[in-house]
Amino acid sequence: MQDTLINIHNLSKHYSIGGGQFSALKNVDLKINAGDFMGLVGPSGSGKTTLLNVIGALDSPSEGSVEVLKLKIENISAKQAAKLRKEKLGFIFQTYNLLPVYNVYENIEFPLLLLQLSSTQRKDLVMQALEWVGLLDKVKSKPAQLSGGECQRVAIARAMVKKPQVVLADEPTANLDARNSHNILQTMEKLNQLLGTTFIFATHDAKVIGYLKRKVTLIDGRVEEDITLPPRGPQC
Amino acid sequence: MLIFKLAYRNIKGAGIRTWLNVVVLSLAFVLIIFSQGMIDGMNEQIITTMQDTEIGGGQYWHHLFDPYDQFTIEDGHGELPVKLQELVNKRLATPMLWVPGSIFPDRRVQAVVLKGIDVDQTIIQLPSDKLKINDKNIIPALIGTRMAKQTKLKIGDFVTARWRDKDGTFDATDVKIVHIMSTLAPRMDSQQIWLPISTLRQMIDGKGHATVLTLKKDIGPVPIVDKWIHRDLNYLLKEIRALIKSKRVSTLIFYGILFGMGLLAIFDTQVLAIFHRKKEIGTLMALGMGRWSVISLFTLEGSLHGVLAYLLGAIYGVPLLVYTSTTGIPLPEITDEMGIAMGSTLYTRYGIPVLLATMLILFLTVVFISFLPTKSIVKLKPTDALRGKMA
């Protein structure tokens, strides 16, 4: 039996807009296991990113309970949330969110600096992460000197370098062409198999869906479908 | 330690953005300190010039003399007592004799004060040695540029001077303009004509008479003398100090405007830079950086900008400030015409306490305006900061 890393029960998230209230998530129940390679799928406004943000302790639930790695998100302090993100979670953003003044090496090294690892440990881990994403030749480049695909690979390396238990990826291929999208997804699939890291995607990109092992469809903030997908066949 | 490392890395990595920020900050720092030095220098110079050209280290006034009452000038003089004459003999003081009179330049009458001065005096900055001439048939006279302009008199011109002798009878003689001096002090120039004191004493038949005795600067304790009132620097500078004090409000407004402009530049560079980096702040928080770590990082970055701005400012600011305080800034003639005895050159002055206080205030301001916007941004949810939502 697989370990449950994330347990979501009856989660609702409401926002005040103007004088009224908008519900981004409505009574969501979900269990996410260790090693999952799953996607939150649905049209724009269906609540994918909101759910990802709540799981990542970037946002808090309005109702219900969200337990991530045995921590109740609705009860944790900002400090505990920061600690959870620093130690256990990795984030990949649609717009990469690389630190513009740092080079590739420094961007990937950043989470390790927060963990206060020694410079030798940091160097080993950064070089390993660079190898995973195939960017060993771009160590000194700044984000502005990289293509979109390369930037997203740096973002993956940054999310993976500390070997987190869960990686949350919000539309990671939205700004990439098909070739780069497949490269990125293959890299993440490889890391999922290699390290057993749980990947949770928020996406409506068919290319991403093609790689998922599990698909959770959200419509108007509700879970409409939760299915396990058959393994992909060999790629041409 | 991590925060220092990250702040250093951010500053180094930002490259041109860092230097633009630092240049603007350093300009604001230097401008504010320079303007402060200019205002202080101006105030100090007004007092120094007044001492050099007019009041020396203090004065004795004849007990009947009141410079604010024209009617006292006629009788406000008398023979110098022995104790004061000793000061004159030791060259620690110089007498001046004031006699009300008139001159008739270009067939017009003009009221003047005939002022007698020792041709060999060195106590005040007045070219009295120009009154030393060899021709005993001519009475030499010295006027200032303002007086020359008012009367249209030139060097070599003769002008008739009229006065009352000790019996109250009008007497007159022609005097020759031998020199036109450029003096910093309007009160030593307008509506007055300088003659050798020995000649003026003869003209009024007042042997050894004087109205005012001007003491050498830093003379120390002086004797108390009957019928001669000692006026120390506190008394003589009372008016100018009151003027400076009354100008303090306008000076403060001027300083406030300059300070505000400087702060605006600092505010612009720091605050805009931080708001521009909202998404970066959100990313840092998403990567697991705590709120106070983010605040510390950005505040430290701002503070390091301040330190770099001081270092850069020192490179070009110190030579500039030293140059303006030693060589001075030439002033336009208009300042002379404003009636302020300030000189043709303004020397800036930088008092160490004021300098340090200004630097400290500016530095704390930079720290504060680096801290404040970051604090409000990290109050946002990381999701809002990531979206670049306004705090």
Side-chain angles (χ1 to χ4, degrees), chain A residues 13 15 53 57-60 78 82-83 85-86 91 93 95 97 99-102 106 109-111 113-114 116 122 142 158 162, chain B residues 2 5-7 9-15 17 277 279-280 282-291 297 381-383 386-387:
Chain A
K13 178 71 188 173
Y15 294 106
N53 287 338
L58 293 172
D59 213 342
S60 53
K83 190 169 183 283
R85 291 193 294 266
K86 181 169 73 176
F91 283 90
F93 302 97
T95 50
N97 287 31
L99 300 170
V101 300
Y102 291 0
E106 290 166 339
E109 188 194 23
F110 188 82
L113 281 169
L114 295 182
Q116 303 194 321
R122 292 200 307 266
K142 292 261 176 99
R158 183 178 66 182
K162 62 187 175 191
Chain B
L2 171 69
K5 190 172 187 160
L6 293 176
R9 198 177 264 191
N10 284 351
I11 283 174
K12 191 173 148 238
R17 197 181 71 194
R277 292 169 70 187
K279 198 173 162 186
E280 187 182 330
T283 306
L284 295 177
M285 290 164 78
L287 292 177
M289 207 166 185
R291 285 184 176 176
L297 175 64
K381 284 181 191 163
T383 46
L386 279 167
R387 278 199 294 264

Side-chain angles (χ1 to χ4, degrees), chain A residues 90-196:
Chain A
F91 283 90
I92 299 168
F93 302 97
Q94 179 182 340
T95 50
Y96 329 128
N97 287 31
L98 300 180
L99 300 170
V101 300
Y102 291 0
N103 61 31
V104 168
Y105 184 94
E106 290 166 339
N107 262 290
I108 299 171
E109 188 194 23
F110 188 82
L112 306 177
L113 281 169
L114 295 182
L115 291 171
Q116 303 194 321
L117 300 185
S118 71
S119 63
T120 319
Q121 284 175 303
R122 292 200 307 266
K123 193 176 174 189
D124 290 345
L125 288 169
V126 171
M127 295 318 279
Q128 192 182 37
L130 281 165
E131 206 178 318
W132 292 334
V133 296
L135 283 173
L136 280 166
D137 55 333
K138 301 280 184 181
V139 170
K140 296 276 177 199
S141 302
K142 292 261 176 99
Q145 298 165 309
L146 302 175
S147 68
E150 287 170 333
C151 281
Q152 198 57 296
R153 278 148 72 190
V154 176
I156 293 169
R158 183 178 66 182
M160 291 302 300
V161 70
K162 62 187 175 191
K163 296 178 182 163
Q165 286 181 266
V166 180
V167 169
L168 304 163
D170 188 7
E171 307 274 10
T173 55
N175 289 330
L176 304 178
D177 58 27
R179 200 172 127 253
N180 270 313
S181 296
H182 284 295
N183 281 337
I184 296 293
L185 288 162
Q186 280 161 13
T187 306
M188 289 196 272
E189 191 179 47
K190 186 178 77 184
L191 291 169
N192 170 252
Q193 286 160 7
L194 189 72
L195 305 171

Side-chain angles (χ1 to χ4, degrees), chain A residues 70-81:
Chain A
K70 298 191 169 58
L71 283 170
K72 296 260 187 197
I73 298 298
E74 64 272 23
N75 294 334
I76 59 172
S77 64
K79 199 174 174 182
Q80 286 172 313

